[in-house]
Amino acid sequence: TILPALIAGIAVPVLKNLLGTEAYGEFSIYFNAVLICTAITTGWITQSIYRFYNTVSDKKLFAKLSIDIAIRTQLFFYVPIIIVVWYLKEDLFLGILISIAVFMNSMQFAYLSIAQSSFLSRKTIFSETIRSVSYIVIATIFLLIIPQQYFYILFMAIIVSYGLSILYSRIQTR
């Protein structure tokens, strides 16, 4: 977990330099809200995976049901998140992006919980590395091209990076 932490540590000054303190600070508030929403909507699922995965006989079925529950839970919160962001920022598209970011973050939490419960720690670390590297690369490239759309760019980079992490985790835990 050191490499993803180092990459995240590099990302902050790079993004802060590209965006400025105020813009990066505003983004950080919204991204932390995404993380809080993820913890609220998915924390109980990941804790259940950690607690019960090793006690069930059909681990594949348990993993499938856990992912299904995570997806259904996220769909329940999808529209309220969009409405809140739309109200706060008066930007429907940003609300959609943030809601998708919560969904992708939650799915990654669920998949990584299964991988960790299966004692696939190297896969978990590599998945986090994929997420961290792809996020900073995508965000930096697009911010250099169109910096005025930073909220859209940063949340799209989050969605893509979590998507790549989930794809890798899903392939590696089958």
Side-chain angles (χ1 to χ4, degrees):
T1 60
I2 293 172
L3 183 59
L6 287 174
I7 294 166
I10 293 168
V12 172
V14 167
L15 294 175
K16 191 173 161 186
N17 187 39
L18 285 169
L19 297 172
T21 305
E22 186 177 326
Y24 184 73
E26 184 181 17
F27 163 74
S28 293
I29 290 169
Y30 279 84
F31 184 61
N32 282 312
V34 166
L35 296 175
I36 291 168
C37 287
T38 301
I40 291 168
T41 61
T42 311
W44 64 277
I45 296 168
T46 59
Q47 290 304 312
S48 297
I49 292 169
Y50 290 135
R51 177 172 288 176
F52 298 113
Y53 185 82
N54 290 318
T55 64
V56 297
S57 57
D58 191 346
K59 292 182 182 354
K60 188 173 183 177
L61 178 62
F62 181 80
K64 182 186 179 315
L65 290 174
S66 297
I67 297 300
D68 287 346
I69 291 168
I71 290 170
R72 290 177 191 189
T73 302
Q74 294 312 306
L75 293 176
F76 181 74
F77 289 98
Y78 191 78
V79 173
I81 291 170
I82 292 171
I83 291 170
V84 168
V85 174
W86 188 11
Y87 174 78
L88 293 174
K89 290 292 285 182
E90 297 178 357
D91 189 338
L92 178 62
F93 185 63
L94 183 61
I96 292 168
L97 287 176
I98 289 175
S99 195
I100 294 170
V102 170
F103 178 82
M104 296 301 281
N105 195 353
S106 296
M107 291 300 96
Q108 191 220 25
F109 275 30
Y111 277 108
L112 289 184
S113 297
I114 293 166
Q116 289 171 345
S117 296
S118 301
F119 300 103
L120 299 172
S121 58
R122 287 193 347 215
K123 304 300 180 194
T124 303
I125 293 168
F126 196 66
S127 177
E128 275 295 292
T129 302
I130 290 170
R131 184 193 58 77
S132 300
V133 170
S134 62
Y135 170 69
I136 190 66
V137 168
I138 293 166
T140 302
I141 289 170
F142 283 97
L143 284 172
L144 290 171
I145 298 169
I146 43 175
Q148 61 276 19
Q149 298 296 328
Y150 69 92
F151 254 102
Y152 297 155
I153 289 168
L154 292 172
F155 279 107
M156 283 190 232
I158 288 168
I159 291 165
V160 170
S161 67
Y162 276 101
L164 292 172
S165 174
I166 291 166
L167 181 63
Y168 176 79
S169 297
R170 190 178 160 140
I171 290 168
Q172 293 301 319
T173 54
R174 283 186 176 190

